[in-house]
Amino acid sequence: MVNPSLSAATAATAPNPGNRALSHLPGEFTELKSGLDFRRLWHSLVERIWIVALCVLAGFFLALGYLARTPKLYQGHTVLEVQFQEPTLVTTEDSAARMRSTFLASQEALRTIEQNLTNQTLLARVIRSEGLAEDDGRALLGNQNIASRSKSNATPGTGPAPGTIKTQSAVGVGTFTPLEEALGRALAGMVNPVIRRGTRLIDLYVTNRDPAMAQRLAEAIGREYIRNSIERRASLSEESLRYLLEEEERLKVNLQKSEAAVAEYKAKNPDALQLGGGTAATGSQQGSGAGAGGPRGGLVEDKLQELSSKLTAAKADQLRLEGELKQIEQAGENIDALLAIPSISTAGLVMDAQRSVTHVEASIATLALRYKEKHPKMMAARAALAEAKEKLRQAAMAQPPILRNAIEQTKATEASLQGALQDQQGVAVALNRTAIGYQELARQAETDRALYESVLRQIKDTSLTKDVKTNAVSVIEHSPLSHSPVSPSPTKAIVLGLLGGLAVGFVFVLGADALDRSIKTVDHAEGAFGLPVFAAVPETTEEGTVPRLKRQSRAWGSSNYRVVVETPESPAAEAFRNLRAALSLLGPEVERKVSLFTSALPNEGKSFTSANYSLALAQQGYRVLLIDGDLRRPNMHRIFHFPEPARKNNSEEEDGAPGVMDCLVGEADLSSAARPIPAGEIDIVTGKVAGEGNFLTATGGQLSVLAGGRRAPNPAEILAGPFFGQLVAEAARLFDRVVIDSAPILAVSDTLLMMPYVQTACIVLRAGKTPRQAVRRAIFLLTSAGIRPAGLVLNRLRRSGGAGHYYYYASHGYGADEGSYSRGYGYRSRSCHKDNGAS
């Protein structure tokens, strides 16, 4: 029976705000790591490497099958060169040749030639010229025969099939048979022309099962393309020459008619040449026109031009003189300003007066060197200078009347020229009516002559070049005979098969990893939930029992649950010792007396973890109480081989040991219900080993188990009362450590009801099985209730490598059969004692 007066102990088990576990507030739980976890993907790949190996092997066999079923193809290779212009023996300057040269120099010409090399008409010519249709295409296609299929498309009768191809060349019209058409289409799939980058070269590749046939076809296609181009150009030249000859005859007749019309009109209207009609005369009329019409332009036109020039000059002189007269009027009697006017300064009297003034000034300068100013000669010279300047002034003042007379004369001349010009224009208008008809006839005659001469030049050029057998495309490298197939490539096929299998394997692995929502590694768990992983417990199915426990296992069976005792040297036992050490470092001892282990879902290993953690604490010397808090499905009685719990039947109590439920309902007290575990089932050192050596082991350790006891119909309601808190408080007072194994959080609400009385809560996950969303939901429920989980325990990590191999080690001195927990420790100890005694 629980003592209700232990309020201090109950307070000690209340939620501790000093818990040093990683906390999350409700609603704030998120993944700490985002993005691609390459380490997890690597371990997932290592774990599923067999899938990749199978896919690679399948890709290898597929490549071998492809190589076995695909026929070998050989390649013929011919190199064609496209020149900038067609080589010719005669240089022509016609526009057609220039346009063709411009086209050949462009990239469009290379692409056009590249496309024409796979033209069906050209390939049908190759089939006919090489005689490949004579054996129904067997030489071209090997064992395949398309003759029957081709003949079925032909229409019975004498005419060609509806789909036959007609070609016209220099030798006549040719019609290809349906077989030749079909073989041409088949040959198109074998031809691959490629323009060589940065050059004017075209690589012509032809593939065939027969290397000799591939070489033959490559040579034939290049040869037939050049021959076809030459034939088409020759045919075009013949057609052009025929047309030009016909056009020459027609233009010759037109020219004769035009010249006759010009001559007849000149004879009837001889005055027509006076307006320049002779300029349009052609042939024999040019000489007579020149003699009759005088200089080029005609007499009337020359006279009109002369009068117009004189009238323009007279107007210019008048404007100039009137401008100078205005300047004279503005200058008044200012001699210097008058002398600056060109018409006055160039007048004869003014120029003579200026020379006299200059001569006198020079004499005065000479006399000034010898005489003074009062000398008679100097005074005479001064008087002569004054007289000369007076004459200059009088001459300048006399020029304005002379200028006015010149202006009047210019006006009279202008009026006379204007009248003469008007008279001459009247004569020109009268003659123009007569000259219009002549000029029209002359222009027509000149046009006919130009056309006729142009046709004559084209006939000459065409006659010279029509028989030249040259082409802008030439073969510069002939096809060699291929000795090795180009397809299929064994190396390429096998490499592609292996790479394809590898890629498919990677896709399968990545897809499986994307669909797998479980936790695989410690890093994955810590990154996904933001909680530390205290221990990573590997899979224990391969663990065997220690030989020293065979006697005990006969008594209570070998469950392989208590790995800390049964296999102390195993990685799983070391993981629980790591868990013991990690939880001991969370805070002061008073704040970590009560620990609870739970999980999100059933079958995660919480009972297994609780039991081994309790055994590890007991081995360290603590008095430990293990409480089976899973009232719905208790398991501790199976792990420690207790009798089955009692059940109520017909309102009567069956015989059975008391448990948690009995303590909660007040029918048993803790001291009587807790069952101590014998020291032999806790200690990891046998009596035989202990008797033969002196060992320092923890003493006073004791493990007591409070099993579930009988089943209750309403465990949630019982846990919601104060009795469970009192039970935990009593256990904390009597024992050093209290470990509670609780129910799954998402399955029932029992664990959440226990949490207020727990100091350290750990969530157990099963590696490779527990969904991440379930764990997140469980942590969210705990954080929503204000409870902070201390950390995680990752259970049942696979030991086959991959996901969890780097969390425990097998280094020398730390693995199986090594160290202080080894089965052979007693033997080595005796050897050490003997060695020590001998020494």
Side-chain angles (χ1 to χ4, degrees), residues 117 122 140 145 220 292 400 440 468 475 491 509 548 618 627 650 687 700 808:
L117 288 172
L122 173 66
L140 177 65
N145 189 353
E440 290 179 356
V468 177
V475 179
T491 303
V509 170
R548 68 180 177 81
I627 300 177
N650 296 329
Y808 46 84

Side-chain angles (χ1 to χ4, degrees), residues 303-528:
K303 192 171 183 179
L304 281 174
Q305 185 176 3
E306 181 183 359
L307 291 174
S308 178
S309 300
K310 290 181 178 180
L311 180 60
T312 302
K315 289 182 178 181
D317 290 340
Q318 179 184 350
L319 293 175
R320 179 181 60 79
L321 293 174
E322 289 177 350
E324 291 181 353
L325 183 60
K326 277 187 179 182
Q327 291 179 357
I328 292 172
E329 292 175 352
Q330 292 176 358
E333 295 184 358
N334 188 350
I335 299 302
D336 294 335
L338 291 175
L339 292 176
I341 297 173
S343 60
I344 294 178
S345 61
T346 58
L349 294 177
V350 175
M351 293 177 65
D352 292 341
Q354 285 181 340
R355 282 194 296 270
S356 297
V357 171
T358 304
H359 178 70
V360 173
E361 288 177 347
S363 299
I364 292 173
T366 303
L367 293 174
L369 297 176
R370 299 175 60 186
Y371 305 106
K372 296 182 180 180
E373 290 294 331
K374 299 297 183 178
H375 196 275
K377 290 185 178 182
M378 286 293 295
M379 295 178 64
R382 296 286 183 185
L385 177 62
E387 184 180 357
K389 288 183 177 181
E390 179 62 23
K391 290 181 179 181
L392 177 61
R393 187 186 67 79
Q394 292 177 359
M397 295 300 295
Q399 293 302 315
I402 298 174
L403 185 60
R404 291 187 182 92
N405 292 333
I407 292 174
E408 294 298 330
Q409 292 177 2
T410 303
K411 288 182 179 180
T413 303
E414 180 181 351
S416 176
L417 291 173
Q418 184 70 30
L421 181 62
Q422 290 178 355
D423 295 340
Q424 192 65 27
Q425 286 178 348
V427 175
V429 170
L431 292 176
N432 187 49
R433 297 187 182 92
T434 305
I436 289 175
Y438 176 79
Q439 291 176 355
E440 290 179 356
L441 293 175
R443 282 194 297 270
Q444 182 64 39
E446 285 294 325
T447 302
D448 292 342
R449 177 169 293 279
L451 291 174
Y452 180 71
E453 292 176 353
S454 175
V455 170
L456 288 179
R457 287 193 299 270
Q458 293 183 28
I459 290 174
K460 179 181 178 181
D461 294 340
T462 304
S463 299
L464 292 175
T465 60
K466 69 183 181 66
D467 295 329
V468 177
K469 299 184 181 299
T470 58
N471 192 263
V473 180
S474 59
V475 179
I476 63 171
E477 182 178 336
H478 295 277
S479 175
L481 182 63
S482 178
H483 298 287
S484 59
V486 295
S487 176
S489 174
T491 303
K492 183 178 179 180
I494 292 176
V495 169
L496 289 179
L498 295 177
L499 291 178
L502 187 63
V504 172
F506 283 159
V507 170
F508 273 116
V509 170
L510 294 178
D513 184 74
L515 296 176
D516 189 359
R517 310 306 297 173
S518 62
I519 300 297
K520 294 297 185 65
T521 66
V522 172
D523 290 344
H524 190 194
E526 292 180 343

Side-chain angles (χ1 to χ4, degrees), residues 598-602 743-752 770-782:
T598 184
S599 62
L601 300 173
I745 297 176
L746 300 184
V748 293
S749 62
D750 298 358
T751 302
L752 296 177
T770 307
R772 293 195 295 270
Q773 294 298 333
V775 181
R776 291 197 187 99
R777 177 63 180 170
I779 298 176
F780 175 76
L781 292 177
L782 292 177

Side-chain angles (χ1 to χ4, degrees), residues 129-185:
S129 64
E130 297 297 319
L132 298 177
E134 297 176 358
D135 59 348
D136 295 335
R138 292 186 180 88
L140 177 65
L141 303 176
N143 296 328
Q144 301 180 15
N145 189 353
I146 62 173
S148 59
R149 183 174 59 187
S150 304
K151 292 178 181 178
S152 64
N153 296 330
T155 304
T158 57
T164 55
I165 302 176
K166 296 182 179 180
T167 60
Q168 185 171 358
S169 62
V171 297
V173 178
T175 302
F176 296 116
T177 64
L179 177 59
E180 291 173 340
E181 295 176 23
L183 292 176
R185 288 192 295 270

Side-chain angles (χ1 to χ4, degrees), residues 71-358:
K72 296 181 179 179
L73 297 179
Y74 296 85
Q75 188 178 78
H77 178 208
T78 300
V79 181
L80 306 178
E81 181 183 12
V82 182
Q83 299 180 4
F84 286 97
Q85 61 182 3
E86 290 184 347
T88 179
L89 302 177
V90 180
T91 303
T92 59
E93 296 296 335
D94 59 324
S95 59
R98 288 195 300 269
M99 292 178 61
R100 180 164 180 80
S101 298
T102 303
F103 174 73
L104 288 174
S106 63
Q107 284 295 119
E108 287 75 8
L110 295 177
R111 287 192 285 268
T112 302
I113 296 173
E114 179 188 21
Q115 295 299 321
N116 285 333
L117 288 172
T118 58
N119 184 274
Q120 291 190 13
T121 303
L122 173 66
L123 298 180
R125 285 174 57 98
V126 173
I127 297 297
R128 174 172 292 183
S129 64
E130 297 297 319
L132 298 177
E134 297 176 358
D135 59 348
D136 295 335
R138 292 186 180 88
L140 177 65
L141 303 176
N143 296 328
Q144 301 180 15
N145 189 353
I146 62 173
S148 59
R149 183 174 59 187
S150 304
K151 292 178 181 178
S152 64
N153 296 330
T155 304
T158 57
T164 55
I165 302 176
K166 296 182 179 180
T167 60
Q168 185 171 358
S169 62
V171 297
V173 178
T175 302
F176 296 116
T177 64
L179 177 59
E180 291 173 340
E181 295 176 23
L183 292 176
R185 288 192 295 270
L187 179 58
M190 306 177 186
V191 180
N192 180 29
V194 178
I195 300 175
R196 193 176 296 181
R197 185 184 298 272
T199 66
R200 299 189 61 79
L201 303 179
I202 299 178
D203 295 298
L204 180 61
Y205 299 99
V206 181
T207 56
N208 194 272
R209 298 183 181 182
D210 184 6
M213 178 60 67
Q215 179 191 28
R216 176 183 173 187
L217 290 174
E219 294 286 344
I221 292 174
R223 182 174 62 251
E224 284 301 319
Y225 177 81
I226 297 174
R227 181 184 300 171
N228 183 41
S229 299
I230 294 175
E231 290 178 357
R232 286 193 299 109
R233 191 179 66 178
S235 176
L236 181 61
S237 298
E238 291 181 359
E239 293 292 334
S240 300
L241 184 60
R242 186 181 302 110
Y243 170 76
L244 290 174
L245 290 174
E246 295 175 356
E247 191 68 12
E248 186 266 341
E249 292 294 332
R250 185 182 67 82
L251 291 175
K252 183 177 181 180
V253 173
N254 292 341
L255 178 61
Q256 291 175 352
K257 291 181 180 180
S258 299
E259 290 181 344
V262 170
E264 182 180 358
Y265 191 86
K266 286 173 60 178
K268 293 181 180 180
N269 301 283
D271 295 336
L273 296 178
Q274 295 185 18
L275 283 178
T279 60
T282 60
S284 60
Q285 284 76 17
Q286 288 182 351
S288 61
R296 184 176 180 86
L299 297 176
V300 177
E301 291 180 354
D302 293 343
K303 192 171 183 179
L304 281 174
Q305 185 176 3
E306 181 183 359
L307 291 174
S308 178
S309 300
K310 290 181 178 180
L311 180 60
T312 302
K315 289 182 178 181
D317 290 340
Q318 179 184 350
L319 293 175
R320 179 181 60 79
L321 293 174
E322 289 177 350
E324 291 181 353
L325 183 60
K326 277 187 179 182
Q327 291 179 357
I328 292 172
E329 292 175 352
Q330 292 176 358
E333 295 184 358
N334 188 350
I335 299 302
D336 294 335
L338 291 175
L339 292 176
I341 297 173
S343 60
I344 294 178
S345 61
T346 58
L349 294 177
V350 175
M351 293 177 65
D352 292 341
Q354 285 181 340
R355 282 194 296 270
S356 297
V357 171
T358 304

